């Protein structure tokens, strides 16, 4: 069919979609400057993952990673660069972080001559569905802390109780999918540090800051949830 007709047919169908500016469920209500749209369209024909062919795009990504690392108080020394990567979205970021934790845990267990075939991860029942996907895709047991009436985020005390030698990490959420509420990452760090000391384990924390990572540093700068906490080893954040 003529290109004009194809455009009109698809546009008409898309009219049946919801309005993203009114989508309170997925935290995608943020307005974006038209200059950002222009930059995205100017780069839409680049194969972003081909870093050899598009080194300037890669350099821009690395600058962003370092800016975000400083924003999240990463312990970066003079002359050092932060370790991180841009992803398609928080779901991919969580897959990469989860795999890194799983591989590191497996290597540690192998070196100690212990079984390494039954890893688990501890989260709250309020986690975004991509955590369930990670557990299913990469064969990791998902241990969820159940919610209770009037308390709709992960209870750090119960989370740490669920941790065992096979736990690859505890995932905390900064901006719950259900309510937008921040989980108490500082208390989780304190309780998990105590348990690690008692057991000799080194169970780390990942913070899923998809919804709150670009809010907390500006609105609540004194809130300790990021790399200021020693057990927080990785963070994902999204431009929602």
């Amino acid at each position: 069919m003529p290109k004009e007709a194809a455009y009109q047919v698809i546009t008409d169908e898309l009219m049946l979609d919801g309005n993203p500016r009114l989508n309170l469920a997925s935290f995608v209500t943020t307005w974006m400057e038209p200059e950002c749209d222009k930059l995205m369209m100017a780069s839409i024909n680049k194969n972003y993952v081909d870093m050899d062919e598009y080194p300037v795009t890669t350099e821009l990504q690395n600058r962003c990673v370092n800016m975000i690392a400083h924003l999240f108080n990463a312990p970066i020394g003079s002359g050092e660069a932060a370790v991180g990567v841009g992803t398609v979205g928080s779901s991919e970021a969580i897959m990469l972080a989860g795999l890194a934790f799983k591989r590191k845990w497996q290597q540690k267990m192998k070196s100690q001559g212990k079984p390494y075939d039954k890893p688990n991860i501890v989260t709250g029942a309020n986690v975004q569905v991509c955590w369930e996907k990670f557990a299913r895709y990469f064969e990791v047991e998902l241990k969820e802390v159940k919610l209770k009436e009037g308390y709709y985020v992960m209870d750090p005390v119960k989370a740490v109780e669920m941790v065992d030698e096979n736990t690859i990490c505890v995932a905390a959420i900064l901006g719950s999918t259900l309510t937008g509420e921040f989980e108490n990452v500082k208390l989780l760090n304190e309780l998990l540090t105590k348990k690690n000391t008692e057991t000799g384990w080194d169970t780390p924390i990942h913070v899923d800051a998809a919804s709150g990572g670009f809010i907390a540093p500006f609105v609540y700068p004194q809130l300790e949830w990021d790399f200021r906490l020693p057990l927080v080893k990785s963070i994902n954040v999204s431009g929602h």
Side-chain angles (χ1 to χ4, degrees), residues 163 191-204 231:
V163 170
L191 296 173
L192 195 53
T193 298
K194 182 179 179 182
K195 185 158 190 172
N196 284 343
T197 302
E198 293 172 349
T199 60
W201 304 335
D202 55 356
T203 309
L231 291 183

Side-chain angles (χ1 to χ4, degrees), residues 194-236:
K194 182 179 179 182
K195 185 158 190 172
N196 284 343
T197 302
E198 293 172 349
T199 60
W201 304 335
D202 55 356
T203 309
I205 296 171
H206 173 86
V207 179
D208 180 352
S211 300
F214 286 138
I215 296 173
F218 303 101
V219 181
Y220 312 108
Q222 302 307 316
L223 182 67
E224 294 183 32
W225 63 273
D226 52 20
F227 292 117
R228 284 172 287 186
L229 304 175
L231 291 183
V232 173
K233 301 301 182 183
S234 60
I235 299 171
N236 67 278

Side-chain angles (χ1 to χ4, degrees), residues 63-196:
R63 288 186 211 166
C64 289
V65 167
N66 276 276
M67 282 188 274
I68 295 169
H70 284 288
L71 184 66
F72 294 166
N73 298 289
I76 304 170
S78 178
E80 291 182 334
V83 176
V85 66
T87 64
V88 175
S90 290
S91 295
E92 184 190 4
I94 284 165
M95 300 293 165
L96 293 176
L99 273 176
F101 284 120
K102 181 183 176 182
R103 296 285 184 265
K104 188 171 183 180
W105 172 83
Q106 286 177 325
Q107 291 169 2
K108 180 190 69 175
M109 298 298 277
K110 284 181 184 179
S111 67
Q112 297 175 357
K114 297 179 179 179
Y116 53 89
D117 59 334
K118 293 184 179 179
N120 68 67
I121 186 169
V122 177
T123 73
N126 57 312
V127 289
Q128 215 272 349
V129 69
C130 59
W131 283 101
E132 298 175 19
K133 291 180 180 178
F134 161 74
R136 183 175 300 175
Y137 295 166
F138 298 108
E139 299 176 322
V140 175
E141 179 191 359
L142 184 65
K143 300 170 72 172
E144 290 185 330
V145 178
K146 301 304 179 185
L147 308 183
K148 59 184 179 182
E149 185 71 30
Y151 194 86
Y152 304 112
V153 291
M154 181 178 70
D155 184 339
V157 176
K158 292 183 179 179
V160 173
E161 288 175 356
M162 286 186 174
V163 170
D164 59 31
E165 192 175 17
N166 293 331
T167 303
I168 61 174
C169 81
V170 179
I173 306 180
L174 200 78
S176 172
T177 307
L178 302 179
T179 63
E181 186 177 352
F182 292 175
E183 293 184 341
N184 194 337
V185 188
K186 185 176 182 180
L187 177 58
L188 176 64
N189 180 83
E190 293 172 357
L191 296 173
L192 195 53
T193 298
K194 182 179 179 182
K195 185 158 190 172
N196 284 343

